[in-house]
């Protein structure tokens, strides 16, 4: 059984690790992470660790979710694009801080499961899409913010194009799993400004949609 106490414990842990933005902590508090993890790992849902999900993917560590959310610096007028829906946990947290979230996943199973979770939680400002995140989502561009939750060697060109001037993207970049860095990219009138934030470990941003037989 998961209790309110578990959620409080997680929030305290995030605070200790330096997450101080009240809006972000409150958004995390509103999302029951036990709903987003595999039944087998439900006892670990409120520990600050990444856990395996279906299709060989992972639900990110709560600290990384909180940190990326903080760095996105969202407000409730923002239109946001997420690449890599996965369990839907990061999306659910973001949905409480922005106007509308579009989230792209290449695995249908994951997209469907995430949609069921959003419905169960009464979240109505998320649009899920099956597709290739490398291409972004041109019909809804431009976006105020873009968050990528899988790692690439370089930021996808289409995503940079779909970011508003004055907008920000947070993305893990690195050639291999052992050498990734979370990077903030600000799109200014003068061009792109990149800031390295912290070493991370994400699954790769794969090219193409999942092919069906
Ligand atoms: N944000 C997720 C973490 C997901 S892990 C959560 O909170 O649970 C990264 C996800 O990115 C995986 O589900 C993977 O299938 C997806 N992914 C990888 N490459 C992709 C691509 N090109 N387009 C869309 N999704 C992709």
């Amino acid at each position: 059984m998961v209790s309110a106490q578990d959620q409080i414990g997680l929030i305290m842990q995030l605070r200790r690790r330096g997450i101080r933005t009240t809006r972000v902590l409150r958004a995390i508090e509103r999302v029951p992470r036990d709903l987003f993890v595999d039944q087998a790992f439900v006892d670990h849902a409120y520990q600050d660790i990444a856990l395996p999900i279906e299709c060989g993917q992972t639900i990110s560590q709560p600290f990384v979710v909180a940190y990326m959310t903080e760095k996105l610096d969202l407000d409730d007028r923002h239109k946001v694009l997420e690449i890599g829906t996965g369990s839907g946990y990061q999306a659910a947290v973001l949905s409480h801080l922005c106007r509308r979230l579009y989230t792209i996943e290449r695995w249908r199973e994951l997209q469907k499961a995430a949609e069921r979770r959003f419905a169960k939680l009464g979240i109505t400002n998320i649009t899920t899409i099956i597709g290739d995140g490398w291409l972004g989502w041109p019909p809804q561009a431009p976006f105020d913010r873009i968050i990528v939750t899988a790692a690439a060697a370089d930021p996808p060109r289409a995503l940079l194009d779909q970011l508003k001037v004055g907008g920000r993207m947070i993305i893990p970049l690195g050639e291999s799993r052992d050498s990734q860095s979370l990077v903030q990219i600000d799109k200014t009138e003068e061009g792109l400004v990149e800031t390295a934030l912290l070493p991370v470990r994400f699954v790769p941003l794969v090219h193409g949609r999942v092919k069906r037989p």
Side-chain angles (χ1 to χ4, degrees), residues 36 51 53-61 65 82-92 103-107 110 117 129-135 147-151 202-210:
F36 291 80
L51 291 169
I53 56 172
E54 286 167 326
C55 307
Q57 306 303 315
T58 52
I59 174 172
S60 307
Q61 180 190 349
V65 170
E82 179 193 35
I83 308 300
T85 313
S87 67
Y89 180 69
Q90 172 82 72
T103 180
I104 308 182
E105 173 55 55
R106 56 193 291 281
W107 290 94
L110 293 177
R117 292 173 179 130
I129 304 148
I130 297 172
D132 180 3
W134 279 93
L135 308 175
I147 175 171
V148 185
T149 66
F202 276 86
V203 297
L205 186 65
V206 179
H207 276 280
R209 287 182 51 171
V210 177

Side-chain angles (χ1 to χ4, degrees), residues 161-173:
D161 290 344
Q162 289 170 36
L163 188 61
K164 272 187 198 168
V165 174
R168 175 175 293 178
M169 173 151 82
I170 304 286
I171 179 171
L173 295 178

